[in-house]
Amino acid sequence: MGSAAELTEEELVAWGERVGAAVEVPAVFALRGDLGAGKSTLARAIARGAGVEGPVPSPTFNLLFRYETARAAVHHLDLYRLERPDDVWELGWAELGGGPELVLIEWPERADTHLPSPRWEVRLEELGDPGRRRVELAPVGEPPALPPLPADGGAP
């Protein structure tokens, strides 16, 4: 069952850090949304919650960054620059999500049907109110449980 909430950027970051610290691994997140919707912000927060220290840049040009923590390996992918869905195989795609890993995929639609299951589909949408985002969660298969989204009183 999915859920949704409208969150400030601070609430999004705090929730992402709770996810990174608490979710059972392996866990895969497909982060969807337009430019500026908060995909990288959420990916950084999950990575920090999992124990990543230091900078967590967007992998737009590198496509994939990997971080080792005591809790899990964190794989942060940005597939925006892929030309074809089959290009994911060059990133070690077949091995992702098989062990104690958190896999964070920005622009997952570029992978088309190659997305792993189980996973969490996370749709982010920037709202007209500056700094607020709508966050929608939907499980595919049976991914591990997540900490609940903060209640905002305005989400359905």
Side-chain angles (χ1 to χ4, degrees):
M1 179 172 112
S3 61
E6 291 182 10
L7 307 177
T8 64
E9 186 166 330
E10 293 79 21
E11 291 169 329
L12 178 67
V13 168
W15 178 74
E17 289 174 351
R18 284 195 306 277
V19 168
V23 70
E24 271 187 44
V25 291
V28 177
F29 297 87
L31 307 176
R32 298 179 185 271
D34 293 335
L35 286 171
K39 297 179 301 294
S40 293
T41 298
L42 180 56
R44 278 186 201 96
I46 293 171
R48 293 233 183 279
V52 174
E53 297 177 0
V56 181
S58 176
T60 301
F61 295 103
N62 297 66
L63 302 179
L64 167 67
F65 286 132
R66 177 184 166 100
Y67 306 92
E68 289 292 336
T69 73
R71 175 164 162 35
V74 178
H75 301 273
H76 184 190
L77 297 96
D78 184 328
L79 305 182
Y80 184 77
R81 294 177 1 113
L82 288 188
E83 293 184 19
R84 299 179 330 269
D86 284 342
D87 290 345
V88 297
W89 301 114
E90 296 174 25
L91 300 173
W93 193 259
E95 292 81 32
L96 290 177
E101 300 173 339
L102 285 170
V103 181
L104 311 167
I105 306 167
E106 296 186 45
W107 300 100
E109 55 275 12
R110 304 288 179 144
D112 196 29
T113 59
H114 300 310
L115 286 172
S117 178
R119 70 178 179 274
W120 280 102
E121 288 283 330
V122 182
R123 180 162 303 281
L124 298 140
E125 177 186 0
E126 190 173 26
L127 301 174
D129 187 1
R132 289 192 65 80
R133 304 209 174 8
R134 178 164 176 79
V135 180
E136 297 177 7
L137 303 174
V140 174
E142 293 185 24
L146 298 179
L149 286 166
D152 69 350

